[in-house]
Amino acid sequence: MNLHVPEFHARNKCPLCHAGDLTDHLVLDNIRIAGCRACKFMFSRDTLPAVEIDRFYIDGYHDQRHMDGQRVNATTNLGLLQHFFPDFGRRSLLDIGSGYGFLLDKVRSNGAGRVAGVELSNAQRNYSAQQLRIETHGQMDDIPRDDKFDIVTAFEVIEHIPAPREFIVRACEQLKTGGSLIIGTDNFASGVVNSLGHQFPKWIPHEHVSFFTSTTLRQLLEGCGTLKLAGVRSYTPWELLARQIIFRATSGRRGGKTYSYETERSADSERGYRFFSLRMAINRIWFKVASAPNLNGEMMYFHMIKQ
Ligand SMILES: [Zn+2]
């Protein structure tokens, strides 16, 4: 039996502005989520070593739940892309964190030119490359830096990245001048997060390590120097609205979720994806009716143009 228990390491400087004046925004099962007093960025202060994080994504990050979840997200993310690009017009697209490749498959059949992905997980990358015949790389550095794309996307990736500024700079290198960078992540200052507090189900601080608000994400993107804001969109998934309603109606007894490191780790592979058929049927439509060109929703998307 493998009793390997990884050790957490403390980070004592803000990964975005390098200031050392930090507060404990939340403590979840002994993992501290820090808030930077200087730039307001929130991040997991206690993180697994990089080699552990890589091992987690390369070897362990695949099961039916991930596959089902990505099938559902691909329909929503295609809807988002079609808002910004009503016609892909043979544009090339690189998706970072492309998973099984479901989004790239849809983008390709909706008129994009070359599509490519970057995916750490061996199992997901193999599926994407072999089953869907999509050009899929194991890491960014497998793509030559002069190999540039019209659109670079990263959906629900940046919250997993311990050094988000370096990640954005690297993503921009694969972008043509005038090309579009699309970043989608949770807004940790949205109404649902404020209502559910520490019981918001996406506080998973060993896995999600960077927690953005619309202000901190905009600061990061515009602070890179070459990116100019072209548009935003946001929406709140109906599953989270339902949680919020139940949480309020039961005075916090139901609807929330209290984080536990051990429970998350052991449950990860066994837990099925709930309401898969229902989500598959309605999430695309929900995105169409619920998304708006503002940053008030729980999921936020930034469209930046490289100058
Ligand atoms: Zn900071």
Side-chain angles (χ1 to χ4, degrees), residues 79-110:
L80 183 276
L81 287 175
Q82 287 177 327
H83 264 291
F84 293 136
F85 311 99
D87 176 5
F88 283 116
R90 309 302 298 163
R91 284 185 183 88
S92 58
L93 187 146
L94 172 67
D95 187 29
I96 303 171
S98 56
Y100 294 99
F102 300 134
L103 174 63
L104 286 172
D105 190 38
K106 285 181 186 297
V107 166
R108 181 171 58 187
S109 48
N110 277 275

Side-chain angles (χ1 to χ4, degrees), residues 6-77:
E7 232 175 82
F8 282 79
H9 293 266
R11 296 194 285 175
N12 293 319
K13 286 208 160 89
C14 170
L16 287 192
C17 77
H18 308 294
D21 192 2
L22 308 176
T23 59
D24 282 345
H25 179 75
L26 272 180
V27 182
L28 296 169
D29 199 8
N30 295 317
I31 303 177
R32 293 170 297 172
I33 295 171
C36 171
R37 279 208 173 89
C39 77
K40 310 296 177 204
F41 181 55
M42 293 183 287
F43 59 97
S44 293
R45 189 161 178 177
D46 304 302
T47 55
L48 297 168
V51 59
E52 289 290 343
I53 296 178
D54 281 355
R55 186 192 314 190
F56 176 70
Y57 290 119
I58 290 170
D59 301 331
Y61 211 61
H62 64 95
D63 51 41
Q64 192 60 41
R65 187 174 67 91
H66 278 109
M67 198 176 238
D68 289 350
Q70 287 185 25
R71 274 190 207 281
V72 172
N73 289 344
T75 65
T76 312
N77 292 339

Side-chain angles (χ1 to χ4, degrees), residues 54-63 66-67 70 94-102 104 116-143:
D54 281 355
R55 186 192 314 190
F56 176 70
Y57 290 119
I58 290 170
D59 301 331
Y61 211 61
H62 64 95
D63 51 41
H66 278 109
M67 198 176 238
Q70 287 185 25
L94 172 67
D95 187 29
I96 303 171
S98 56
Y100 294 99
F102 300 134
L104 286 172
V118 177
E119 176 52 49
L120 271 179
S121 160
N122 287 331
Q124 297 192 28
R125 189 172 66 252
N126 288 342
Y127 183 95
S128 169
Q130 287 160 20
Q131 304 293 315
L132 301 182
R133 303 270 167 220
I134 289 169
E135 174 193 341
T136 314
H137 304 271
Q139 49 186 325
M140 290 296 284
D141 289 344
D142 293 344
I143 311 171

Side-chain angles (χ1 to χ4, degrees), residues 158-178:
I158 198 166
E159 64 268 29
H160 297 264
I161 308 286
R165 187 181 305 282
E166 290 73 5
F167 172 78
I168 295 294
V169 168
R170 185 68 191 84
C172 283
E173 287 181 340
Q174 303 303 148
L175 202 53
K176 293 178 187 171
T177 302

